[in-house]
Amino acid sequence: MTAKRLVLLVMFASGCATTSKPIHYYTLDMTPSGKALCSRGIVIEIFRSAEPLLRRNIMIKATPTQVEYYAADEWVASVDELVTQKLRAELGENNPQRREAVLSGTVLAFEQQDTTNGARAYAKVHVTVRKWQDAREKEWLLEKTYDAAVDMKAPKPGAAAEALSRALEQIAAQIAADIQNLPL
């Protein structure tokens, strides 16, 4: 092999190695909004996620039947962990002296939706609430699905993270209102 071909081969190989895009990581805004007012002592268990949300890539629902993911934009943690942390931030820290209810659930949707009117963030969670002392029982005081959609400023991953934070704040406020009215 000539020196010229060797130099071209090295240049080509090094060019291939540097063309991959860096990964950008996103999280939710964990600052409590103050919208989820509940005086009850709630223990929030780790939520589970539906199968399409098990990836760390941010999900885009391009059409009602087509799902895509941002290739180089990921959540810093699993969706179930982020949703659990955000709900804990919104509904308050667990007070070990005052445990009245256990909240658990499944994240059913957590995505950017591309619509004819622009992009929006959409979150949907299925929640169950049990009395603390009956935490291992199957009898629930509340079983309900909550969802919220928030328009995004732009169809970008950072805007999706911000709008999904706001959507979870709306959901947390609905959950708090429902728990406040439970016979604990």
Side-chain angles (χ1 to χ4, degrees):
M1 186 180 295
T2 66
K4 185 176 182 180
R5 284 188 181 167
L6 183 60
V7 168
L8 287 175
L9 181 61
V10 170
M11 287 175 51
F12 177 74
S14 67
C16 289
T18 60
T19 59
S20 65
K21 292 182 178 182
I23 303 293
H24 298 101
Y25 295 96
Y26 295 87
T27 190
L28 299 176
D29 178 356
M30 296 298 174
T31 307
S33 68
K35 296 177 187 175
L37 303 174
C38 184
S39 62
R40 302 295 182 96
I42 305 167
V43 174
I44 302 172
E45 294 181 338
I46 297 286
F47 273 56
R48 296 180 318 259
S49 292
E51 181 74 27
L53 301 172
L54 294 178
R55 299 172 61 159
R56 289 218 178 170
N57 299 79
I58 299 171
M59 183 181 196
I60 305 165
K61 191 136 186 208
T63 71
T65 59
Q66 182 182 1
V67 173
E68 300 172 350
Y69 295 89
Y70 282 104
D73 300 286
E74 298 181 4
W75 295 112
V76 71
S78 64
V79 168
D80 47 359
E81 187 176 331
L82 291 172
V83 169
T84 301
Q85 288 176 9
K86 180 62 175 170
L87 290 177
R88 284 178 178 162
E90 289 297 313
L91 295 168
E93 290 297 318
N94 297 327
N95 180 349
Q97 308 304 322
R98 197 163 167 262
R99 294 180 173 170
E100 297 177 80
V102 177
L103 176 84
S104 59
T106 304
V107 184
L108 302 173
F110 201 69
E111 62 203 25
Q112 171 183 318
Q113 294 180 337
D114 292 342
T115 70
T116 55
N117 297 329
R120 71 179 190 162
Y122 180 69
K124 183 176 181 180
V125 296
H126 181 78
V127 169
T128 59
V129 177
R130 300 177 310 273
K131 285 186 179 180
W132 169 253
Q133 63 269 24
D134 301 330
R136 299 294 169 228
E137 300 295 323
K138 291 284 185 187
E139 190 172 323
W140 301 310
L141 295 174
L142 174 69
E143 179 181 20
K144 188 173 179 180
T145 300
Y146 299 88
D147 69 334
V150 174
D151 290 336
M152 293 171 45
K153 295 177 183 175
K156 296 181 178 180
E162 180 64 32
L164 284 164
S165 298
R166 303 296 82 83
L168 282 178
E169 290 167 3
Q170 291 176 19
I171 288 171
Q174 294 170 25
I175 292 169
D178 287 345
I179 290 175
Q180 193 66 28
N181 295 319
L182 290 177
L184 298 173

